[in-house]
Amino acid sequence: MTDTREARTTAIRTLNDAARAHPGALCRCSITLGVDALPIADRIAILRQIVTYDAFTDDNDPHNEHDFGSLYRLASGAWTPERPDDADQIAQTVCWKFDYYDLALEFGSAEPWNAAATARVLTIMLASEY
């Protein structure tokens, strides 16, 4: 059973990494009203950070599925996936996450490790909207 669980986790992680690298092609992508209200330069910077995101740790990815992440806009205006030690440096926090649905987008997917049976939806939101 552990081998099956590990194989499923590996498949989910691989599918999430591929979908995150190709939003709109390998997954549906949704942004919240708060993200949509940000300047276009910030939205582009956020998307660039998400498609290259590799800041996964045991703390922020305990199931090793690469299904959630946070980004931080610093007071300088730069976006980074690394949380600054000094919280006063954070001007804004954005989160992204995957949800898994059946192909009709009516119910949750029973097999998120199976690309043929799962529609992935990547949602990008302000942390305050989570």
Side-chain angles (χ1 to χ4, degrees):
M1 179 152 149
T2 301
D3 290 339
T4 301
R5 185 176 314 157
E6 288 176 15
R8 289 177 177 177
T9 298
T10 298
I12 290 169
R13 182 177 56 251
T14 300
L15 290 166
N16 286 348
D17 287 345
R20 197 179 63 259
H22 303 283
L26 298 180
C27 69
R28 294 173 190 252
C29 190
S30 173
I31 63 171
T32 60
L33 291 173
V35 172
D36 190 45
L38 295 174
I40 187 72
D42 283 328
R43 293 188 312 234
I44 290 169
I46 289 166
L47 191 54
R48 283 185 181 144
Q49 290 287 326
I50 291 171
V51 300
T52 61
Y53 192 91
D54 66 355
F56 298 104
T57 67
D58 289 339
D59 289 333
N60 69 15
D61 188 29
H63 302 291
N64 202 23
E65 294 180 352
H66 294 188
D67 59 350
F68 179 90
S70 297
L71 303 171
Y72 307 94
R73 184 167 56 84
L74 304 177
S76 67
W79 286 92
T80 180
E82 303 298 329
R83 182 178 174 81
D85 291 333
D86 180 2
D88 290 337
Q89 293 180 11
I90 301 171
Q92 191 143 44
T93 303
V94 168
C95 300
W96 58 265
K97 71 180 190 84
F98 278 108
D99 290 300
Y100 315 114
Y101 294 95
D102 65 5
L103 297 180
L105 297 171
E106 292 181 33
F107 304 103
S109 172
E111 301 176 354
W113 57 87
N114 181 352
T118 302
R120 281 179 158 61
V121 177
L122 172 63
T123 302
I124 304 167
M125 69 201 90
L126 299 179
S128 61
E129 296 174 302
Y130 190 63

